[in-house]
């Protein structure tokens, strides 16, 4: 059965009103090549299913898993090289460009400004995220530069009015980012990105999204079958 059929079937409740079949938490990080690879796949899920996707920024900590460039062991170096080898393989299949960053970046500022972009509407957030990923992975965007990110947000149709207090130390932006991190790690079991949480079940990695799709298909069919069982 085609996915759009699942979408149409699952969009109607027994009262005839449209309602999402479930909520999908999607944890991502702008400096993660695999988050970049997952982005369009998640957008496709939103088109194929009536699922409420929560786009949740989560900064992946590079050092614990891969070490830092100046002090990596050979084993850690092998891990980094292989991760980017796989990332480029996936990217080449979709004609995307992924170049390894020249240093370990702190993506917190970009993620907080992404939250600010979300507050201005989904279209602006989607454009901002696409450009951050695309430019960062072709090495033309410094995600640690406030001025660069402000210009990009405006370029994507957003406004920077109110941005400064939002991203200030002790402001709502970083507080929200920390709260997302706390919930991700203590309640959802997240340890890396991209991660997906559907009905409490965790899936990690963009190559696990087919399992997320299968779960959504099962939920869509259940939504259709349940009202019939009450007749």
């Amino acid at each position: 059965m085609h996915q759009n059929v699942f979408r149409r079937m699952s969009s109607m409740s027994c009262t005839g009103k449209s309602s999402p079949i479930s909520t999908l938490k999607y944890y991502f990080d702008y400096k993660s090549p695999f988050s970049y690879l997952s982005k369009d796949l998640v957008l496709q899920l939103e088109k194929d299913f009536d699922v409420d996707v929560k786009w949740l920024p989560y900064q992946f900590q590079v050092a614990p898993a891969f070490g830092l460039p100046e002090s990596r062991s050979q084993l850690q170096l092998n891990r980094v090289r292989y991760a980017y080898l796989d990332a480029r393989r996936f990217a080449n299949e979709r004609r995307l460009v992924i170049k390894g960053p020249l240093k370990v970046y702190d993506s917190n500022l970009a993620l907080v400004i992404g939250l600010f972009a979300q507050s201005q509407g989904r279209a602006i957030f989607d454009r901002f995220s696409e450009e951050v990923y695309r430019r960062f992975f072709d090495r033309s965007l410094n995600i640690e530069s406030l001025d660069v990110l402000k210009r990009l947000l405006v370029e994507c149709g957003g406004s920077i009015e109110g941005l400064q207090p939002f991203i200030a130390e002790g402001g709502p932006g970083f507080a929200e980012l920390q709260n997302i991190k706390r919930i991700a790690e203590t309640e959802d079991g997240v340890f890396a990105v991209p991660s997906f949480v559907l009905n409490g079940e965790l899936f990690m990695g963009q190559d696990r999204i087919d399992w997320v799709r299968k779960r959504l298909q099962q939920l869509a069919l259940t939504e259709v079958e349940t009202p019939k069982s009450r007749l």
Side-chain angles (χ1 to χ4, degrees):
M1 187 178 294
H2 192 273
Q3 299 307 323
N4 286 332
V5 177
F6 279 114
R7 178 180 174 83
R8 290 194 298 271
M9 291 167 63
S10 63
S11 64
M12 300 301 293
S13 68
C14 59
T15 62
K17 296 181 180 179
S18 178
S19 60
I21 58 175
S22 194
T23 296
L24 174 65
K25 293 183 178 181
Y26 168 49
Y27 292 97
F28 66 93
D29 185 0
Y30 287 136
K31 71 172 182 292
S32 160
F34 295 101
S35 288
Y36 183 21
L37 291 165
S38 70
K39 176 182 68 67
D40 286 347
L41 303 178
V42 175
L43 290 172
Q44 190 61 48
L45 287 180
E46 290 184 312
K47 293 177 181 177
D48 292 342
F49 300 94
D50 283 309
V51 60
D52 180 18
V53 177
K54 304 297 186 186
W55 295 68
L56 301 169
Y58 174 90
Q59 176 162 225
F60 173 63
Q61 299 299 319
V62 173
F66 298 105
L68 295 175
E70 62 273 14
S71 59
R72 280 179 179 140
S73 67
Q74 187 60 52
L75 181 60
Q76 290 171 329
L77 187 58
N78 291 347
R79 286 175 182 162
V80 172
R81 287 173 174 169
Y82 185 78
Y84 272 94
L85 177 62
D86 261 0
R88 284 190 290 271
R89 285 168 173 156
F90 284 117
N92 288 341
E93 290 180 346
R94 293 162 52 188
R95 298 184 179 180
L96 298 175
V97 174
I98 290 183
K99 298 178 182 177
L102 298 177
K103 71 167 196 170
V104 175
Y105 282 86
D106 184 335
S107 56
N108 269 341
L109 180 60
L111 293 173
V112 170
I113 295 179
L115 282 173
F116 188 74
Q118 283 195 52
S119 72
Q120 298 183 40
R122 185 56 189 276
I124 290 172
F125 170 69
D126 284 351
R127 286 196 294 271
F128 178 78
S129 294
E130 172 61 27
E131 290 304 311
V132 170
Y133 278 127
R134 185 181 64 80
R135 299 183 194 191
F136 178 70
F137 284 107
D138 72 9
R139 297 179 181 166
S140 64
L141 180 76
N142 180 358
I143 59 171
E144 295 178 344
S145 170
L146 175 58
D147 288 341
V148 168
L149 292 169
K150 285 167 66 176
R151 286 195 298 269
L152 179 58
L153 179 57
V154 172
E155 182 184 326
C156 293
S159 169
I160 58 173
E161 184 178 354
L163 175 61
Q164 204 59 47
F166 185 81
I167 64 173
E169 185 177 353
F174 284 103
E176 185 174 351
L177 195 65
Q178 286 303 310
N179 190 50
I180 291 170
K181 176 181 172 63
R182 178 188 62 79
I183 293 172
E185 295 176 352
T186 62
E187 298 181 17
D188 292 335
V190 171
F191 59 93
V193 288
S195 284
F196 314 90
V197 180
L198 181 63
N199 288 350
E201 187 175 7
L202 174 66
F203 304 85
M204 199 289 289
Q206 113 285 344
D207 53 345
R208 270 62 166 196
I209 203 162
D210 283 346
W211 290 345
V212 177
R213 178 173 287 277
K214 288 177 182 177
R215 294 294 191 276
L216 288 170
Q217 289 173 353
Q218 293 165 358
L219 288 169
L221 289 174
T222 301
E223 287 291 312
V224 173
E225 292 167 356
T226 300
K228 290 181 180 179
S229 66
R230 296 173 184 162
L231 297 177

